[in-house]
Amino acid sequence: LDDRQRWVHLTDNELGGFEIWTRNKGIVAGPIAHGLRIPTKRFIASDGEEEKGEGEGAGRGIFAKQYIEEGALLVELPSELVLRVQEDEQCPEELIATYGDVWKNYDEWYVRLGVKLLIEQQKQKSQKDSKFAGYLGLLPDSIDHGAPIVWTEEQLEVGLGYYPTLKASVERQKEKWSRISSELSAMFPEFSPKELQLAFYHCLSRAFKG
């Protein structure tokens, strides 16, 4: 156990029915649970005794409810519930007519996956149920303020000015995202540049290769 933080279990109601949705979809989870992580900090009280209190930086996450053996099952889900792109993937047949130019003009995996994500979110908005509905409901509606991609020039200088190479890399990424999102929004007005960049962020911060 880590005494630098504690976890508060989140109820299914607080998760918008996500855990019920996972069970209905045949998703199996091991001894893990959704929770709110609350960091703790040690400090010296006025009487000289060491005490602990709540620190800053709380956030949602997954915690183990018990000791987990190496190789134990954590999550198992049907393959059809995986939103994915394959290496060297051709545009899916059902998307060619409308979104074929995305696959033709952009080979960045997060752009293609981001468009797939937005298509599923559009289904939700138009009252057409997406098979990923439970997961989509958990996605934040804005990019985390701690992500350099949304920092102002002043914030970049303060936060990364001491590391010019990293700062330049972030600036190039900001320019690239701005260009691609503007181009795609012009092609597909149903997606705003802000929505596209949020989709890129969701993919880059949550997707994994395997």
Side-chain angles (χ1 to χ4, degrees):
L1 295 176
D2 186 350
D3 66 357
R4 294 171 297 180
Q5 60 186 7
R6 67 185 180 88
W7 288 89
V8 177
H9 187 271
L10 291 173
T11 66
D12 191 59
N13 186 54
E14 291 172 313
L15 292 167
F18 176 75
E19 293 188 343
I20 291 177
W21 175 81
T22 61
R23 290 193 292 272
N24 290 340
K25 290 293 185 178
I27 298 174
V28 178
I32 56 178
H34 290 88
L36 184 67
R37 178 181 58 82
I38 302 179
T40 58
K41 62 180 179 180
R42 284 193 169 91
F43 60 94
I44 304 300
S46 58
D47 59 4
E49 293 295 320
E50 183 180 75
E51 297 184 7
K52 290 196 298 183
E54 293 185 0
E56 299 178 352
R60 287 187 175 187
I62 299 291
F63 69 97
K65 296 187 289 186
Q66 64 185 54
Y67 178 77
I68 298 176
E69 296 284 351
E70 181 178 352
L73 173 71
L74 294 182
V75 179
E76 183 178 50
L77 68 159
S79 60
E80 63 268 19
L81 289 180
V82 179
L83 188 61
R84 73 181 97 188
V85 289
Q86 306 283 359
E87 289 188 37
D88 301 320
E89 177 183 90
Q90 300 300 309
C91 182
E93 186 174 344
E94 68 273 16
L95 302 181
I96 289 178
T98 305
Y99 300 104
D101 284 346
V102 176
W103 272 254
K104 179 181 178 181
N105 299 325
Y106 303 95
D107 58 6
E108 293 87 350
W109 68 268
Y110 62 85
V111 173
R112 296 175 176 182
L113 187 59
V115 169
K116 286 186 176 182
L117 176 62
L118 285 172
I119 291 171
E120 295 301 324
Q121 290 177 320
Q122 286 289 332
K123 290 179 182 178
Q124 290 296 98
K125 292 178 181 178
S126 61
Q127 305 301 311
K128 297 178 182 178
D129 187 39
S130 167
K131 62 182 178 181
F132 306 104
Y135 175 73
L136 298 178
L138 289 183
L139 292 175
D141 56 10
S142 63
I143 297 176
D144 188 282
H145 63 81
I149 194 70
V150 296
W151 289 1
T152 64
E153 181 59 35
E154 181 180 1
Q155 290 172 317
L156 282 174
E157 182 60 37
V158 172
L160 300 176
Y162 63 91
Y163 195 174
T165 302
L166 181 57
K167 180 173 178 286
S169 177
V170 172
E171 290 173 334
R172 288 194 299 272
Q173 186 181 32
K174 285 169 67 72
E175 187 281 328
K176 183 176 183 179
W177 281 25
S178 177
R179 173 180 56 80
I180 293 176
S181 62
S182 295
E183 292 172 352
L184 288 175
S185 185
M187 295 164 62
F188 311 108
E190 64 269 30
F191 304 144
S192 71
K194 183 178 180 180
E195 288 174 323
L196 284 156
Q197 292 196 31
L198 178 58
F200 300 163
Y201 170 75
H202 283 152
C203 294
L204 286 165
S205 61
R206 288 162 172 79
F208 62 90
K209 182 177 180 180

